[in-house]
Amino acid sequence: MSKEREEAISFVLDGRPIWARKGDPVIRAAEEAGTYIPRFCYHPRMKAVGMCRMCLVEIKGPRGFTLQPACFVQVSPDMEVITDSVAVRKAQDGVLEYLLANHPLDCPVCDKGGECPLQDQTLAHGPGESRYVEEKRHFAKPIEISSIVLLDRERCIQCGRCTRFAGEVVGKGLIDFAGRGANIEVAPAPGGTFDNYFSGNIIQICPVGALTSKSYRFKARPWDLEQTESTCTSCAMGCRVVLQSSQNEMTRVLGIDSDAINHSWLCDKGRFAFEATSSEDRVLAPYLRKNDNLVEVGWFEALTQVAKTLTAALEKVGPATVAAIGGGSISNEDAFAWAKLLKGYLSVDSLDCQPEGGVDPSLLLGGKIATFDEVVNSKLTLLLGADVEEEMPVLYLRLREALLAQTTSAVEIIERRTSLSTLVSSSLLIEADEVLSQIESIDLSALAGVKVKDLSDEQVVVVVGQADLLRSSSWRSGLVAKVLQRYPNAKILPLLQGANTMGAVQMGMSPGLLPGGRVIGKVPEDFPWPNPPKSLGRNAADVLSAAAADDIEIIFLLGPNPLSGFPDKSLVRQALERSSMVVAIDSHFGEWTEYVDVVLPLSGYGEYFGSITNAESRVLPLGQSLVPAGVSQKGWEIAVALAESIGYDLGFESESDIWEEIQAISKIHRGFSPSLLSTEVEGVVVPRSVKVHIAGRRVLDPVATPGISSVKRQAAPLSEPVAIYDFNPDGELVDSNDSSDSLDELSDVMKERPTASIASRKEPDKLRLHLARKLYGYGVEVASSPTLSSLVSKPKLRLSSESARVSSVEDGDVVRIISGDLSSGEFQLEVSNDVVPGVLVAEFVEGYELDKFGSLNGGVLVKVVKA
Amino acid sequence: MSRFKDEVLQEALELVKLYPEARSATIPLCHLAQSVDGYLAPDAIEHIAELTSTTPAEVHGTASFYDMIQLHPVGRYVVGVCTNIACMLQGGYELLEAVEETMGASVGETSEDSLFTVEEVECIALCDRAPCLHVNYRYFGPLDEEGVKRLKSDLIEGRLEDEVPSHGVISRIKRSAPELIPLEEIDELRLVEDEQRSSRMAQKGGGDA
């Protein structure tokens, strides 16, 4: 894109000379110059097809001015374009009359009414009256084309945005035009559906009310909706969204077109996660366990009780008896305040925001983090144990686009094939136990088809996945370390589990860490926290083991069910049962509620403003569109109140107080201030010394993104992006590069962590269990959003044909997994050579007793038997 | 109802190989499926999608564009009666009525014995023998009520066995594609031709002057 931007050309638009990027379609160049050309089928993120004919303009050719579709014709030097003439108006008028011939005039009951491009453009350019008096065509309506999308075929104007989205963007043409002429309709295959992770996008891009959302249908009128820009928190991608609400209830979420992040797309999880905020299992008030029952109490009573028990335990045993798990799903402000209370005042170091193991903090803080733009433009992308579609769906769309356009070439190393396997240059199936010893001998660049001499380290990006939930973080770091030996300057993109895991780690929510990557034990004298930890704490898995062995008394669970993705549920159960007090700072009652002693109500998604930091270390704003439910509070407010009950003053009265302190003590956040988020729609990558490729800001299609942001930007003049980075007098970016001095010491601290032992496989019929991370596998969103919980499907098992033979099972058999005395439910087995022999791949979906086999330390050996 | 099997599968794979892009084999494969089942069954759609690396929705979309690909089970004989202007003037509607009555099925339906499916079609370019109809795309006309009855008994009693195969079988001659000419050769050929053309043009231009 940067190359395109350099080549500016001039053309004549309605008599005035205009600068445009070479290769841009006329419709976009004109829009950037402030002239809006009406359109239906054109979408800036998809290939132009020129189907609807609405964008006809007059372009001068050898035979004078002729009508041509502005979306399909690229600007060329000195081209003359007329967008407003008698001929153009007549064409627009005719096209609209034609489109309206069969379009029902049910606008008053149509969901799209009020934000409908057909309605708006008919008013602006249409005939006003129809000459068509014949009967319009009729179809049964609406029909279900997926679990969440309804199709009203009468309203369809055949622009093909949805079918092109399916084929071009998602890569699965699950819907296509069927029939011909007046009987043409969008249809899935006979007996098929449009079920996929991205189906909700077609609701947003449909320029009429043909595709509607089951959950939003008839719920609100667009002009009644209040909009707030925010960031999606259902994964660590941080897609930019707009929250729309009516009467203090969120009605829908739309994707904003952000060049750096989501290109206007959202996955269905992100689009419908908001429903969890208004679900019935919200915690509306503090609860305290009295005589084995959770009883609603006031804030004062709950906090006093926690403070009392906490102070007593600290006095009696010391900080090692207190631990906190979670923090990857709360805001930066919340994370910092809790870190300050627990680490800075109570000396508690056992604080882990990645209970699932995740990615080692030394990689997150010490390594160079790649941005999504760098991933899709790198020369060599290594996908290590990553199933991108399940882990970060929108990144999958971007990677898919990049691999097809060959802007990057990728090598995948994993135990099972993924949806990217057919697109990458090379997909290596290697058993996870063996990959550590093998990876050094693999010629990665040759597999990617990249010549070694053309490849510098900086052009390598390692995508660190968590496709197998049973793999430990030390396995992951070991693997990455070996790759980094070969490419020392390679960048890393961790597919983190929590939306704000990166931010939480930066705020010090990991054992041995303090904010900004500082390590405990090496604190400068002027450090503002009075009582930082003296000894290294435990990570979440160790905390749970210790608690199960009565070694820990008080456990804080920070944020919406932080243990949701933790595969070893029996350990969690034991740990929570045995510890004397479990305090959940949670927005929802959930799977662990019966083990919790105190519940402090946390505001939900959309109920507070703040910021999160996504996997590429980009700080993004969270918007508030609702009044917090009940007496729930923001995470940092709860920390401040608890500190007060204990007798400390954290010194925070607002988010800006918190940011002042973060800026003062965190080198990562030096030069960052939350006020930047109001001007930078793409967020701000920290540390700010990192060079970031700044793409030219796109002017957005209001038909694509009805969010306020696009409305604000649609008529912006073509201009250079605002520089927020430091430039020297020569105009070069200044790389201050001073953010890592304390980060080097990190690795020493991390060495003290116990390494995982990997179970060895001696009996051939014993298989190693691979718990595959699924998009709808677990999490508060999935459990509490009605739309998403309806999408959860029964997990499938996969086994290679070789292993199936050894275990005497066949494709289609109903089997159980057995390990020692443990036995799972029944699952259908698929025999597939897309799996490494010796490994049983089971999709991890909560509620199917797969967690029985969960254990963070190494692989779990199991058998499969016919049920 | 059925996926390709055995020889038909071999034939299908050969068809796919004929084209530089597997997708291009979609329509021939639809016909192949139809020659087996008489119509394009959902399972066949799925199999074609696998063979051409597309999706069932795309195959269905393509197939539904063409009237000659049936997406629902039809009788052994699909009878299409023309009611366009030439046939209409010669009694096309009367013929249609006769066909409906004789074959025992109204337009769009299949007779109870699953032998005949009746369709009303646009001009089939047999206006010189109006009113006309086609049976599995083999043309008959001009026909009256008697003719239709005779046609029916001929079909049922096998007198037209050679001429009118059951629905779906469109050709009994196996086609083969010529060897591929490498792209470079095509380019070279084109260069030579271009040169010849320009020299011709130059001579012609000289003559004019």
Side-chain angles (χ1 to χ4, degrees):
Chain A
M1 197 173 301
S2 56
K3 266 186 203 155
E4 283 172 19
R5 209 154 56 81
E6 283 156 20
E7 286 186 63
I9 54 166
S10 89
F11 75 108
V12 182
L13 179 73
D14 292 331
R16 56 195 175 113
I18 299 290
W19 285 101
R21 279 185 291 260
K22 197 182 168 191
D24 267 5
V26 172
I27 197 167
R28 187 150 127 202
E31 191 167 351
E32 291 184 1
T35 302
Y36 181 80
I37 299 170
R39 82 289 297 267
F40 295 110
C41 70
Y42 171 74
H43 188 285
R45 295 293 181 186
M46 296 194 281
K47 285 193 199 99
V49 285
M51 279 169 87
C52 71
R53 317 309 285 180
M54 190 62 211
C55 66
L56 290 174
V57 291
E58 282 195 275
I59 298 177
K60 194 172 185 184
R63 282 167 293 174
F65 282 99
T66 50
L67 287 171
Q68 293 180 47
C71 69
F72 212 70
V73 179
Q74 293 180 353
V75 284
S76 59
D78 303 323
M79 177 185 257
E80 285 178 54
V81 179
I82 298 176
T83 63
D84 190 19
S85 66
V86 175
V88 170
R89 275 198 296 270
K90 186 143 191 270
Q92 290 167 341
D93 193 286
V95 168
L96 277 167
E97 188 177 12
Y98 170 71
L99 290 177
L100 288 169
N102 265 319
H103 189 87
L105 299 180
D106 59 355
C107 307
V109 296
C110 177
D111 270 352
K112 202 76 177 182
E115 56 172 8
C116 175
L118 182 59
Q119 214 177 24
D120 294 350
Q121 295 183 37
T122 302
L123 186 68
H125 310 281
E129 231 170 85
S130 177
R131 290 175 293 170
Y132 189 82
V133 290
E134 289 79 6
E135 181 74 13
K136 297 187 183 218
R137 65 179 186 159
H138 290 291
F139 282 115
K141 63 192 228 169
I143 56 166
E144 237 177 69
I145 60 164
S146 87
S147 324
I148 48 184
V149 185
L150 296 171
L151 167 65
D152 186 331
R153 291 166 291 178
E154 289 174 2
R155 292 180 187 153
C156 176
I157 57 165
Q158 291 90 42
C159 68
R161 277 185 165 199
C162 55
T163 54
R164 284 183 290 142
F165 173 78
E168 202 179 304
V169 181
V170 186
K172 291 176 197 148
L174 296 175
I175 42 172
D176 201 356
F177 284 121
R180 172 163 45 140
N183 295 319
I184 201 164
E185 55 175 301
V186 170
T193 67
F194 184 60
D195 280 327
N196 67 78
Y197 288 164
F198 308 98
S199 63
N201 288 298
I202 64 173
I203 303 166
Q204 183 174 338
I205 60 174
C206 181
V208 292
L211 294 162
T212 49
S213 151
K214 250 192 214 174
S215 73
Y216 174 74
R217 204 172 153 83
F218 303 137
K219 258 218 168 138
R221 312 273 22 201
W223 54 84
D224 283 337
L225 296 176
E226 285 170 41
Q227 298 195 112
T228 316
E229 252 188 77
S230 188
T231 302
C232 177
T233 59
S234 63
C235 78
M237 179 109 187
C239 293
R240 303 290 292 121
V241 295
V242 57
L243 311 174
Q244 297 194 332
S245 61
S246 163
Q247 299 179 330
N248 203 34
E249 194 192 333
M250 264 196 273
T251 49
R252 63 174 177 181
V253 166
L254 300 172
I256 292 179
D257 195 322
S258 152
D259 242 335
I261 309 167
N262 56 321
H263 288 193
S264 87
W265 312 128
L266 291 181
C267 65
D268 289 348
K269 190 176 183 182
R271 192 175 295 273
F272 295 101
F274 75 89
E275 289 178 12
T277 300
S278 54
S279 82
E280 285 179 0
D281 48 11
R282 273 300 298 276
V283 183
L284 301 175
Y287 282 80
L288 205 57
R289 192 167 292 282
K290 289 179 178 169
N291 302 326
D292 232 27
N293 286 320
L294 274 184
V295 183
E296 191 179 322
V297 295
W299 270 107
F300 180 76
E301 189 181 346
L303 288 172
T304 316
Q305 180 65 34
V306 177
K308 210 170 77 189
T309 320
L310 191 60
T311 321
L314 286 169
E315 265 171 24
K316 208 172 82 194
V317 192
T321 196
V322 180
I325 296 173
S329 313
I330 55 178
S331 69
N332 281 325
E333 295 79 4
D334 296 356
F336 186 80
W338 276 97
K340 185 174 184 184
L341 170 62
L342 291 171
K343 292 208 167 181
Y345 281 86
L346 307 179
S347 277
V348 173
D349 193 46
S350 302
L351 208 154
D352 192 354
C353 64
Q354 295 190 88
E356 68 283 351
V359 178
D360 201 298
S362 58
L363 279 179
L364 301 183
L365 297 168
K368 292 183 178 154
I369 300 296
T371 62
F372 300 132
D373 279 337
E374 282 166 338
V375 175
V376 297
N377 288 308
S378 75
K379 278 225 162 132
L380 171 62
T381 300
L382 282 176
L383 303 164
L384 295 184
D387 186 348
V388 184
E389 191 178 10
E390 301 289 348
E391 301 191 66
M392 219 177 252
V394 178
L395 179 62
Y396 164 78
L397 295 184
R398 293 200 54 192
L399 252 177
R400 189 184 167 274
E401 184 190 18
L403 289 169
L404 287 174
Q406 297 181 329
T407 60
T408 182
S409 54
V411 173
E412 173 183 68
I413 300 177
I414 194 168
E415 289 189 315
R416 58 187 162 91
R417 301 248 187 256
T418 66
S419 43
L420 279 177
S421 295
T422 51
L423 296 166
V424 295
S425 305
S426 200
S427 167
L428 301 178
L429 291 188
I430 308 179
E431 200 184 332
D433 295 349
E434 286 163 13
V435 71
L436 284 170
S437 57
Q438 283 187 15
I439 189 144
E440 282 167 318
S441 57
I442 300 172
D443 190 351
L444 296 166
S445 50
L447 286 172
V450 187
K451 287 195 186 110
V452 179
K453 65 171 166 47
D454 295 344
L455 187 70
S456 71
D457 292 11
E458 290 91 8
Q459 293 161 324
V460 179
V461 171
V462 186
V463 176
V464 188
Q466 302 183 43
D468 180 1
L469 291 168
L470 291 179
R471 284 286 137 191
S472 64
S473 77
S474 55
W475 176 83
R476 267 184 282 277
S477 345
L479 196 55
V480 175
K482 295 223 165 157
V483 175
L484 290 182
Q485 273 169 19
R486 184 151 1 146
Y487 305 112
N489 293 315
K491 294 193 167 179
I492 296 165
L493 183 79
L495 303 183
L496 300 166
Q497 296 215 14
N500 193 30
T501 301
M502 181 65 87
V505 168
Q506 290 173 347
M507 299 305 166
M509 295 198 103
S510 220
L513 283 182
L514 291 171
R518 235 180 255 279
V519 289
I520 58 163
K522 296 189 178 168
V523 181
E525 298 221 329
D526 58 345
F527 196 68
W529 291 5
N531 202 7
K534 309 278 182 307
S535 57
L536 184 65
R538 296 176 166 108
N539 66 17
D542 293 344
V543 163
L544 293 172
S545 311
D550 289 335
D551 225 10
I552 280 184
E553 284 179 33
I554 298 175
I555 299 181
F556 285 92
L557 298 177
L558 293 178
N561 195 359
L563 289 164
S564 178
F566 193 84
D568 191 354
K569 302 286 183 198
S570 57
L571 178 62
V572 176
R573 209 164 293 126
Q574 265 180 32
L576 297 187
E577 231 164 35
R578 293 235 154 183
S579 44
S580 54
M581 186 170 75
V582 179
V583 185
I585 292 91
D586 202 334
S587 52
H588 290 76
F589 289 114
E591 56 174 328
W592 304 116
T593 303
E594 56 177 307
Y595 300 95
V596 168
D597 302 294
V598 186
V599 189
L600 302 178
L602 183 67
S603 298
Y605 178 52
E607 291 182 342
Y608 61 93
F609 70 94
S611 68
I612 59 163
T613 306
N614 74 357
E616 47 171 5
S617 196
R618 188 186 295 272
V619 186
L620 295 156
L622 291 176
Q624 178 178 1
S625 72
L626 304 180
V627 177
V631 295
S632 66
Q633 298 232 12
K634 297 175 194 177
W636 68 265
E637 289 172 335
I638 300 175
V640 168
L642 180 59
E644 237 165 61
S645 311
I646 303 171
Y648 298 122
D649 177 15
L650 291 190
F652 300 145
E653 275 173 15
S654 69
E655 283 82 359
S656 50
D657 291 346
I658 300 177
W659 275 107
E660 228 165 76
E661 191 167 321
I662 296 174
Q663 280 162 265
I665 65 175
S666 163
K667 285 189 173 175
I668 298 172
H669 297 92
R670 194 162 289 168
F672 170 83
S673 99
S675 62
L676 283 172
L677 295 178
S678 56
T679 51
E680 290 306 308
V681 285
E682 321 258 75
V684 179
V685 173
V686 292
R688 290 185 55 197
S689 57
V690 173
K691 284 182 188 169
V692 180
H693 164 78
I694 313 167
R697 184 165 297 170
R698 274 181 190 241
V699 171
L700 296 166
D701 171 20
V703 183
T705 317
I708 34 169
S709 155
S710 72
V711 177
K712 265 192 252 160
R713 285 144 82 193
Q714 61 171 293
L718 180 61
S719 63
E720 284 299 304
V722 190
I724 56 159
Y725 303 91
D726 298 334
F727 289 88
N728 68 16
D730 296 334
E732 288 162 354
L733 266 173
V734 179
D735 190 358
S736 51
N737 210 10
D738 64 347
S739 54
S740 59
D741 50 356
S742 73
L743 304 183
D744 296 336
E745 296 154 7
L746 253 177
S747 45
D748 299 334
V749 183
M750 296 307 155
K751 270 180 201 149
E752 293 167 32
R753 295 178 154 217
T755 49
S757 62
I758 291 164
S760 64
R761 193 157 39 85
K762 288 195 183 98
E763 296 158 73
D765 63 333
K766 283 215 167 170
L767 304 160
R768 201 170 44 68
L769 188 62
H770 171 123
L771 278 190
R773 187 172 163 194
K774 290 288 285 177
L775 185 62
Y776 302 136
Y778 50 86
V780 168
E781 301 95 340
V782 178
S784 301
S785 148
T787 301
L788 293 180
S789 52
S790 73
L791 296 175
V792 177
S793 58
K794 192 172 179 178
K796 280 191 246 89
L797 302 187
R798 278 190 294 164
L799 196 58
S800 72
S801 52
E802 196 182 306
S803 303
R805 212 170 31 247
V806 175
S807 306
S808 344
V809 284
E810 277 170 27
D811 188 58
D813 278 356
V814 176
V815 296
R816 285 174 184 283
I817 312 173
I818 289 196
S819 171
D821 305 336
L822 297 173
S823 165
S824 76
E826 293 171 6
F827 301 101
Q828 186 142 29
L829 182 76
E830 186 194 330
V831 173
S832 149
N833 283 334
D834 291 346
V835 179
V836 159
V839 171
L840 175 69
V841 175
E843 294 171 347
F844 183 65
V845 179
E846 258 178 7
Y848 288 94
E849 302 190 333
L850 279 165
D851 45 70
K852 277 182 184 166
F853 308 104
S855 150
L856 273 189
N857 291 325
V860 181
L861 294 185
V862 295
K863 285 183 181 186
V864 282
V865 292
K866 272 191 217 176
Chain B
M1 207 169 286
S2 79
R3 294 165 64 87
F4 298 122
K5 274 191 241 74
D6 309 327
E7 314 94 76
V8 188
L9 180 59
Q10 282 311 313
E11 205 175 319
L13 294 172
E14 273 169 39
L15 277 171
V16 174
K17 259 187 260 160
L18 282 181
Y19 303 91
E21 272 192 52
R23 214 161 77 105
S24 313
T26 305
I27 293 172
L29 287 173
C30 289
H31 283 302
L32 186 65
Q34 216 170 227
S35 72
V36 178
D37 296 331
Y39 80 109
L40 186 62
D43 269 14
I45 290 183
E46 225 161 83
H47 200 179
I48 292 170
E50 283 166 32
L51 290 171
T52 55
S53 309
T54 52
T55 61
E58 285 163 340
V59 175
H60 173 253
T62 307
S64 64
F65 185 85
Y66 297 98
D67 284 343
M68 282 171 80
I69 300 175
Q70 302 283 350
L71 292 165
H72 299 285
V74 290
R76 184 175 163 87
Y77 300 110
V78 174
V79 183
V81 183
C82 174
T83 52
N84 270 193
I85 185 87
C87 285
M88 189 189 82
L89 293 172
Q90 293 291 322
Y93 280 109
E94 288 76 11
L95 178 62
L96 180 61
E97 222 166 87
V99 167
E100 284 179 333
E101 212 155 281
T102 315
M103 308 300 186
S106 44
V107 169
E109 288 178 357
T110 303
S111 61
E112 272 176 23
D113 53 8
S114 299
L115 273 178
F116 298 100
T117 299
V118 179
E119 282 179 349
E120 185 180 350
V121 298
E122 306 300 323
C123 182
I124 53 174
L126 197 68
C127 311
D128 55 328
R129 287 198 265 150
C132 62
L133 54 77
H134 75 72
V135 181
N136 294 350
Y137 312 107
R138 274 72 177 175
Y139 301 142
F140 298 91
L143 287 173
D144 53 10
E145 208 179 328
E146 268 315 297
V148 172
K149 281 183 182 150
R150 217 171 24 250
L151 178 64
K152 184 185 177 184
S153 59
D154 283 353
L155 286 168
I156 287 177
E157 283 154 30
R159 282 191 288 278
L160 286 170
E161 190 66 20
D162 289 341
E163 203 178 322
V164 185
S166 62
H167 181 256
V169 180
I170 48 165
S171 169
R172 285 170 178 169
I173 304 161
K174 201 176 165 195
R175 277 171 290 184
S176 63
E179 287 284 303
L180 283 181
I181 306 171
L183 282 177
E184 302 84 58
E185 276 180 36
I186 295 179
D187 287 344
E188 274 171 33
L189 216 65
R190 219 169 259 164
L191 276 179
V192 173
E193 276 175 8
D194 284 352
E195 223 160 81
Q196 285 171 349
R197 191 177 302 125
S198 53
S199 67
R200 262 203 315 275
M201 293 294 278
Q203 278 172 8
K204 203 177 161 194
D208 279 350

